[in-house]
Amino acid sequence: MKAVQIIQPGEVRITDIPKPALSTGEVLVKINYVGFCGSDLNTYLGKNPMVNLPVVPGHEIGAVIEATGSQVPDHLKQGMACTVNPYTACGHCPPCRNMRPNACRYNQTLGVQRNGAMCEYLVVPWQKIIADQHLTPKQFALVEPMSVGFHAVSRAKVTDSDTVMVIGCGMIGLGAVVRSALRGANVIAVDMDDDKLSLAKRLGAQETINSRTEDVHQRLEAITGGDGADVVIEAVGAPATYLMAINEAAFTGRVVCIGYAKTEIAFETKYFVMKELDIRGSRNAMPEDFRAVIAYLKRGICPEQELISGVYPPEQAQEALEKWKSDPGKVFRILVSF
């Protein structure tokens, strides 16, 4: 079957790999759409330390159930649209014992630590299938990246009395904007691109700040009456945005970090203590985050087409990555269509 493979930094190849065989307790899915994630772009750029090349990328999946093996529950039926929970959990490490398998110490995400879904067919344990008859495969391809933003909001324990500042309005940051707004919070979106900020406002942000053209601190002081943000969600992964998150959090605020910074960062650690901050990491997503995104998409209020920056055939996967590389600020999600 056809598959997209990143051979080495800067080189993508269409290859032929065996179609997976179906076993007991497994589901065979026909891939319709797979999204390129930031981790896939970093793999292509040679900046992903967790990947072993060559690799088939892809873990943002929109598919249709092709067949089911024995001992698969009856509610999973041939022809149902679905996505796949792309993470693994060992069941024995501290996060797994603490009922947080999304942060399993030995997690292997599809397309990162193991071959992913950018191919024609995929076989997974039935427990990894998330299906719903009311969504299309293209909608399902948006579920996993949005769920990562939803999970960050859960980590922050956002309520309707909070002011939440989301730094970075890519796909994951927009997920955090949506989930915070759904919880009734006052949401402030920060980005360097006006188009992304405009979309963030349509998705629920009450205020937007362009960090390229405006003084973030002064704007936030004016919006919050000098208090700062109760919650800051960092969804960029850059030294400047990590420092912004700490500096702009309110006293006793919560800072949730999604992005990976590529270099070491020097912090004024006095703010950790003076403000008595809660600083939390947020990794991947939980099944309940997937379900919450699906419930949101089923409401029909999400401008899904505006979240899709392009749809490419597998043969143009490298072209798609080059487009993203050349203008990263203008890309939300790029889908590869099988």
Side-chain angles (χ1 to χ4, degrees):
M1 65 176 182
K2 184 185 297 183
V4 174
Q5 198 172 47
I6 300 177
I7 305 299
Q8 61 185 0
E11 182 182 353
V12 175
R13 183 181 302 166
I14 303 300
T15 187
D16 187 69
I17 61 176
K19 182 179 177 179
L22 190 62
S23 298
T24 299
E26 293 182 332
V27 175
L28 173 71
V29 299
K30 173 70 177 73
I31 301 297
N32 287 21
Y33 298 94
V34 185
F36 269 128
C37 173
S39 63
D40 300 321
L41 179 62
N42 283 327
T43 297
Y44 179 71
L45 297 175
K47 297 179 180 179
N48 189 346
M50 296 182 290
V51 74
N52 294 315
L53 296 176
V55 68
V56 176
H59 57 261
E60 302 174 357
I61 300 165
V64 173
I65 294 176
E66 181 86 0
T68 58
S70 60
Q71 299 182 23
V72 172
D74 291 340
H75 72 273
L76 297 176
K77 301 182 185 300
Q78 183 180 17
M80 292 183 72
C82 65
T83 190
V84 174
N85 184 325
Y87 323 123
T88 63
C90 71
H92 306 293
C93 70
C96 289
R97 294 199 304 268
N98 292 332
M99 305 303 292
R100 289 163 65 180
N102 60 295
C104 174
R105 181 176 180 178
Y106 305 105
N107 168 63
Q108 293 189 330
T109 298
L110 286 171
V112 184
Q113 293 93 348
R114 56 186 172 136
N115 277 333
M118 205 160 281
C119 52
E120 293 182 271
Y121 294 92
L122 188 70
V123 163
V124 295
W126 71 264
Q127 295 90 341
K128 295 295 183 182
I129 297 291
I130 304 169
D132 193 291
Q133 61 183 343
H134 299 292
L135 293 190
T136 66
K138 185 178 281 189
Q139 289 174 307
F140 267 120
L142 303 177
V143 169
E144 192 276 343
M146 290 193 77
S147 74
V148 176
F150 273 46
H151 183 66
V153 174
S154 295
R155 291 283 293 143
K157 301 187 184 302
V158 170
T159 73
D160 57 5
S161 64
D162 287 322
T163 292
V164 179
M165 183 168 78
V166 178
I167 306 173
C169 293
M171 190 70 180
I172 290 171
L174 289 178
V177 168
V178 168
R179 187 58 163 161
S180 297
L182 289 173
R183 290 193 175 194
N186 179 44
V187 184
I188 304 165
V190 179
D191 200 276
M192 301 172 69
D193 185 88
D194 284 331
D195 291 336
K196 288 186 174 182
L197 291 172
S198 175
L199 182 53
K201 200 152 194 176
R202 294 201 299 281
L203 290 171
Q206 282 82 17
E207 302 281 352
T208 61
I209 304 174
N210 187 317
S211 58
R212 186 192 300 274
T213 60
E214 300 177 89
D215 186 305
V216 174
H217 180 73
Q218 288 184 3
R219 280 291 316 281
L220 186 64
E221 290 274 294
I223 294 168
T224 64
D227 288 339
D230 302 297
V231 174
V232 181
I233 296 176
E234 198 287 334
V236 177
T241 51
Y242 261 81
L243 292 171
M244 183 190 298
I246 299 300
N247 293 341
E248 304 305 338
F251 276 65
T252 68
R254 289 101 73 197
V255 177
V256 177
C257 306
I258 310 174
Y260 281 78
K262 307 300 186 293
T263 59
E264 293 183 358
I265 305 171
F267 289 101
E268 288 277 3
T269 54
K270 67 179 181 180
Y271 294 132
F272 298 6
V273 178
M274 288 172 55
K275 294 184 177 182
E276 199 175 61
L277 296 176
D278 290 340
I279 303 173
R280 304 171 184 178
S282 183
R283 183 182 180 190
N284 299 331
M286 293 283 281
E288 55 262 35
D289 302 308
F290 281 78
R291 291 194 294 269
V293 174
I294 290 169
Y296 167 67
L297 292 176
K298 284 165 67 173
R299 293 172 61 181
I301 60 174
C302 178
E304 297 146 13
Q305 289 306 312
E306 295 184 56
L307 299 175
I308 299 171
S309 303
V311 180
Y312 293 78
E315 292 77 12
Q316 294 179 12
Q318 181 155 353
E319 178 184 330
L321 287 168
E322 283 292 328
K323 176 184 177 181
W324 195 358
K325 171 186 172 183
S326 66
D327 196 4
K330 292 296 184 183
V331 172
F332 288 109
R333 267 305 171 270
I334 290 173
L335 301 184
V336 173
S337 172
F338 284 85

